[in-house]
Amino acid sequence: MSSSRYSASSSFHVMTKPIGPLCNLDCTYCFYLEKEKLFPGAENYRMSDEVLDTYIRKYIQSQNTPEISFAWQGGEPTLLGLDFFRKAVAIQRRYAGGRPVHNAFQTNGTKLDDAWCAFFAREKFLVGLSIDGPEHIHNRYRVNKNGKGSFAEVFQALELLKKHRVEFNTLSCVTRQSPDEAVEIYEFLKEQGVTFMQFIPIVERVGDRAAHDIGLGLAVPPDPAAEEHSEAMMPWAVSPEGFGRFLSRIFDAWVKKDVGRVFVNMFDVALGAWCGLEPNLCTFSKRCGQAVAMEHDGGVYSCDHYVYPDYYLGNIAEKSLEEMIYSPEQQQFGKNKSDTLPAYCKACAFLFACNGGCPKHRFVKAPDGEPGLNYLCAGYKTFFEHIDPVMKDMAALVQKGRPAADIIDVEKQKMTVPEVGKTPDISVAGQVPKTGTVKRNDLCPCGSGKKFKKCCGK
């Protein structure tokens, strides 16, 4: 989750993990908990005051932008205590030189109370709350160390965030069972007043030899140069087809009445792509490498999904962020996303919207046998084919200066027979608009009613 809500930074972005992999929950599907084994000398995984100060100073110096955005994640960052983040905000003000500073904060919510939420509201934090749906769905995998479900505490956190008027979104994990529960999950979140939603597919493989060599139980990211990768999935992983069905079912519910009122990151990014804009969600961007992760000890890694020894770039105490992010190794890491695309992807009609997806998930073979296809490819294709007619209509509306939310009436008109001599006011796009057709002062394609420069184009 980035501070520009769902998109990557216009410069580069650091996912900061000040508590490392430590968490008070023991979620079955979490890929980060076992990262403790990668830091055998760590005592409490708490970021020191020295590392915190050095990081904030260097990060602010590296950002050639009018505003500065920080992102805090874990593990569970609330385990550090509120004073840690009060200190972080004070350091930010000291080094920002008057530039506005924004903070995004991802949490499981179980430790939130009035003091935390008052702080978030006062300092204008954007909070991401992890909640998978109603109680029987959430508690299936999101459990504490004793195996007890965490729903009650998370639901209380949701109420506190609303009480204190904290800006927040929700992050829901999509598992093997989720496709049959899609609309139930979506409607539940809406009923709780959630208007910004993220849905994250759980894609984890059974550990391979490379993982076992470093003491991990889940597979490490695939090597682009390797011909074969393990395809044995963990039992909770969503199937490709299931993920496509999950998104399509929620999209159908959303487009009937919620466009412009409820914002789903995948739908917003898709609309941007159909309007001719390059996707600004890192999963679907053409290149990687501009969003790194920093661990509690100041170690910087190529990506949040690549916190492994082979992707270590250096330490914030010894190098600048620019040295690490613009190093030949990291630049090649970024280029690999497009350079290693199978021919099957390059010929796909939806390459403009997908760009091959996250490289961590490229471990299956294309129909012609070429390696490097994204595990979720079939699901993405199902979803994009399903939304294509509606997205073309929405893009046409936007190009005419109308809000994307007008698609609700367009879809209703399609379901009725017009009077004799009259034609429904349906605008259909003949093709995907070319890049640059949405200007800074145009209404944003997402349907918020704001100008593009003040919304998704931020």
Side-chain angles (χ1 to χ4, degrees), residues 125-419:
F125 272 51
L126 169 63
V127 175
L129 181 67
S130 297
I131 181 169
D132 286 352
E135 186 168 10
H136 67 281
I137 294 174
H138 178 93
N139 283 347
R140 183 182 292 140
Y141 295 117
R142 298 195 64 82
V143 297
N144 61 26
K145 302 298 183 183
N146 295 320
K148 182 181 178 182
S150 60
F151 179 82
E153 294 92 337
V154 178
F155 190 79
Q156 182 181 31
L158 179 61
E159 294 300 307
L160 285 170
L161 290 168
K162 291 190 292 185
K163 170 187 170 183
H164 288 271
R165 299 182 182 277
V166 177
E167 186 180 6
F168 74 96
N169 57 50
T170 56
L171 186 153
S172 304
C173 292
V174 183
T175 63
R176 181 174 58 85
Q177 297 92 340
S178 299
D180 294 330
E181 303 163 339
V183 176
E184 182 183 4
I185 293 168
Y186 176 69
E187 294 295 340
F188 167 79
L189 293 174
K190 274 204 315 175
E191 288 169 8
Q192 311 316 314
V194 178
T195 54
F196 290 89
M197 305 175 188
Q198 301 181 69
F199 296 105
I200 309 297
I202 295 297
V203 179
E204 294 298 338
R205 292 175 292 146
V206 176
D208 49 17
R209 182 183 297 275
H212 295 155
D213 286 347
I214 55 176
L216 300 181
L218 298 174
V220 301
D223 180 354
E227 287 291 320
E228 298 288 340
H229 299 108
S230 167
E231 296 183 21
M233 304 303 296
M234 298 302 285
W236 50 82
V238 66
S239 70
E241 297 79 6
F243 190 54
R245 291 200 314 274
F246 177 88
L247 292 175
S248 297
R249 287 170 177 173
I250 291 181
F251 182 85
D252 289 346
W254 174 77
V255 81
K256 287 179 182 177
K257 55 184 177 181
D258 294 329
V259 183
R261 299 191 306 115
V262 176
F263 300 87
V264 179
N265 64 334
M266 288 281 288
F267 305 164
D268 291 350
V269 173
L271 178 56
W274 260 260
C275 285
L277 303 174
E278 182 176 342
N280 58 4
L281 181 68
C282 69
T283 303
F284 298 140
S285 64
K286 289 183 179 179
R287 285 179 54 120
C288 287
Q290 296 299 104
V292 298
M294 191 183 79
E295 264 287 344
H296 64 287
D297 60 357
V300 177
Y301 297 80
S302 292
C303 169
D304 177 39
H305 285 160
Y306 284 76
V307 179
Y308 300 94
D310 287 349
Y311 299 93
Y312 177 73
L313 300 175
N315 194 286
I316 193 71
E318 301 162 355
K319 294 182 179 181
S320 70
L321 286 163
E322 295 94 328
E323 283 181 271
M324 293 183 273
I325 289 171
Y326 298 112
S327 65
E329 296 80 8
Q330 183 66 358
Q331 290 298 292
Q332 187 59 51
F333 173 83
K335 285 177 81 266
N336 282 344
K337 181 170 186 181
S338 57
D339 290 353
T340 60
L341 271 178
Y344 182 77
C345 289
K346 294 176 182 177
C348 179
F350 299 110
L351 180 63
F352 73 96
C354 170
N355 289 304
C358 180
K360 187 184 180 185
H361 299 158
R362 293 184 185 176
F363 52 81
V364 301
K365 289 184 177 181
D368 62 3
E370 186 178 2
L373 186 68
N374 196 298
Y375 167 79
L376 293 171
C377 174
Y380 287 142
K381 211 163 188 178
T382 295
F383 172 60
F384 291 141
E385 286 174 349
H386 182 75
I387 68 173
D388 181 57
V390 177
M391 280 297 171
K392 285 178 177 175
D393 284 358
M394 291 177 76
L397 289 170
V398 171
Q399 302 309 316
K400 292 183 177 182
R402 293 168 60 183
D406 283 0
I407 193 65
I408 297 173
D409 291 332
V410 170
E411 289 299 299
K412 286 180 180 177
Q413 289 179 30
K414 285 183 178 181
M415 302 301 293
T416 60
V417 179
E419 296 178 29

Side-chain angles (χ1 to χ4, degrees), residues 81-94:
L82 187 48
D83 284 345
F84 178 91
F85 291 97
R86 289 183 178 127
K87 186 185 304 177
V89 168
I91 297 171
Q92 289 171 349
R93 290 196 178 109
R94 190 192 327 149

